[in-house]
Amino acid sequence: MKKYILTTLAAITLLSTVTTSCSDEFVNPAPEYSIDSENYFNSKEEYDNALIATYDLLQSSYVNVLLGEIASDNTLAGGESPTDVIGFQQIDDMIHTQTNSNLRDIWNWMFAGVQRANYILEFQDKTDFEGKTQLIAETRFLRAYYQFELVKWFGGIPMKPDARFKLGDELKIPRSSVEEVYASIEADLTFAAANLSPNASQKGRATKGAALALLGKAYLYQDKFAQAATALQGVINLGSYSLKTGNDYTNLFEAAGENGTESVFEIQYTDVEGAGFPCLQCSEGNVAVGFSGVRGYDGPFFSAGFSFNVPTQQSVNAFEPGDKRKDISILDINAWAAANADYDKGNGIKFGKGNEDTGFFNRKYLPRKRNSDAAGDLNLTNPNNYRAIRYADVLLMAAEAYNRGSVDDGKAREYLNLVRRRAFGDNNHDVNVSGAALTDLILKERRVELFGEGHRFFDLVRTGQAEGTIPGFTADKNELFPLPIEEIQFANGNWAQNPGY
């Protein structure tokens, strides 16, 4: 099936009814029957439902993707006005504080993902069944995924291995160090890579390749280049993935390109069930897509949105002449309007201008026209999947690891050039440099290849290039974001705030 079946686990207590007659049942009422969090995991089905619930939180990571671009030099917050989603505007200007509600969402939703994974792991030995090792491996992959999001946004986090946090733990369990969080991530992904199948039993589920890719990425973020190269080479050696070319490449970010051979790990979305603003994390659609849409748009192919996350002229200029990725990544709305001047035999397409309008939009994740019978607010229920880890990303990470670790510049050039040949359609744009010059080209390639996919801010931070590149960025502060003030208050001094906040 294409999308997840999303299940939310709830603690349900069913009390027996008391008879009104004067009987033995009244004197000795039937025992309480409960299905709750402590009386679960009695069958494979219950483990499966809990795992699906753990996958569920991936869909709320849409805000991570949006802000990974807005916080960088790639895009501006945009929106309707300078006060539209004030948290986005503050992060764009690097003036965010510990009261930012959007950062609180990232903390809450990613931590909820860790909690759901730990729920399974807390009871992993309760019931045996066929396929349990695979299920535990998927669970540990997901915990690593959520922890990786948390550590790159906030640094060290409180951890309670293989057990859920309970009320009062926030007063006793300290924030773990960044090194300790990464050690947990590495252990989970090493286990996952050893026990997951190379082929997913269902679209969107974690695989051996996904675990190795995320492990390589975690190593890369710690400058463990030799280990990163080994893990990422393991993904390449699987032979399961390839770069899309030709029409397949053009359609890479359309519905036809979902869950293809370039997708190493892809977050699934659907518009079957509606959503509204009071509970954006409840949406099974990709909220980021509607937020990035062209304001007031009326025309072919695309549908309207809220005009956040608008590309800068500088990011448009980062694409070299002849690079096919530019038209796949960037929608120039004025050029699009000129090309569709005869739309519907009327007056052409219509669109409005929002805050910080540049005329450019993130084409990869713009809302596409679809059946208007889809449930709920169409802007919040776009079915566009998010390609969380693509094979092109794996190749570029491997190239970086081989180069920056002084492991093998020849391998680094080989993988970089594979990506460039797809982008230009020829071999004439191959690079033939080594050392620091090759490092610079690999990082520039990451910007254009992965434009609009939420990686840019973290690439700049981890390579020490954020200061002076991101407007308003302050060194020794903005590398991390602040923990929500509520968490600091709940912990009553047990968790210190990140420096500068």
Side-chain angles (χ1 to χ4, degrees), residues 11-252:
I12 303 169
T13 302
L14 302 174
L15 298 178
S16 60
T17 59
V18 180
T19 176
T20 58
S21 63
C22 196
S23 66
D24 288 344
E25 288 185 347
F26 178 77
V27 177
N28 299 299
E32 179 183 286
Y33 172 69
S34 68
I35 303 174
D36 59 29
S37 60
E38 310 309 308
N39 187 23
Y40 202 68
F41 297 110
N42 301 305
S43 66
K44 181 180 185 301
E45 181 183 10
E46 291 183 348
Y47 280 90
D48 286 338
N49 286 340
L51 178 61
I52 292 169
T54 309
Y55 274 101
D56 188 5
L57 267 299
L58 290 173
Q59 295 184 324
S60 67
S61 64
Y62 74 86
V63 70
N64 309 37
V65 180
L66 271 176
L67 290 178
E69 293 295 304
I70 290 172
S72 78
D73 58 337
N74 268 356
T75 68
L76 303 172
E80 183 179 24
S81 71
T83 59
D84 192 5
V85 188
I86 192 65
F88 287 8
Q89 310 294 339
Q90 291 170 348
I91 291 168
D92 185 18
D93 297 332
M94 288 285 127
I95 58 172
H96 49 273
T97 69
Q98 58 187 341
T99 60
N100 187 292
S101 64
N102 304 107
L103 292 173
R104 185 180 67 224
D105 287 342
I106 294 175
W107 174 275
N108 287 345
W109 299 342
M110 297 302 97
F111 207 91
V114 174
Q115 280 282 83
R116 292 189 185 188
N118 276 347
Y119 179 33
I120 298 172
L121 295 172
E122 184 175 334
F123 293 97
Q124 61 184 302
D125 297 325
K126 184 176 182 182
T127 305
D128 287 326
F129 54 87
E130 186 176 353
K132 185 176 177 181
T133 301
Q134 165 79 20
L135 183 142
I136 296 301
E138 288 186 56
T139 302
R140 293 185 66 172
F141 170 88
L142 291 171
R143 179 169 67 178
Y145 190 98
Y146 294 124
Q147 287 184 335
F148 181 69
E149 287 298 309
L150 286 166
V151 75
K152 74 181 189 181
W153 283 91
F154 302 104
I157 59 171
M159 294 194 300
K160 190 176 181 181
D162 292 359
R164 294 161 293 166
F165 267 82
K166 296 181 180 179
L167 190 63
D169 284 345
E170 72 278 6
L171 302 174
K172 298 177 292 185
I173 297 177
R175 289 178 67 182
S176 297
S177 67
V178 168
E179 292 76 17
E180 289 169 333
V181 178
Y182 272 114
S184 172
I185 291 168
E186 291 170 13
D188 278 346
L189 293 174
T190 298
F191 178 90
N195 291 283
L196 286 174
S197 169
N199 302 308
S201 60
Q202 185 182 32
K203 290 178 181 177
R205 288 188 180 270
T207 62
K208 182 182 185 72
L212 284 170
L214 188 55
L215 178 60
K217 189 172 186 177
Y219 283 138
L220 195 63
Y221 270 58
Q222 301 172 81
D223 290 349
K224 295 181 177 179
F225 299 120
Q227 296 98 315
T230 298
L232 294 163
Q233 187 63 50
V235 182
I236 296 166
N237 290 346
L238 287 174
S240 302
Y241 309 103
S242 61
L243 295 177
K244 297 284 189 181
T245 57
N247 288 336
D248 287 339
Y249 178 47
T250 302
N251 293 328
L252 181 60

Side-chain angles (χ1 to χ4, degrees), residues 478-489:
N478 292 137
E479 290 86 355
L480 296 174
F481 293 87
L483 271 66
I485 183 63
E486 294 89 346
E487 301 302 322
I488 301 298
Q489 292 170 338

Side-chain angles (χ1 to χ4, degrees), residues 347-360:
N347 298 318
I349 70 172
K350 298 178 177 62
F351 60 93
K353 290 188 177 182
N355 177 50
E356 299 180 306
D357 177 71
T358 63
F360 303 113

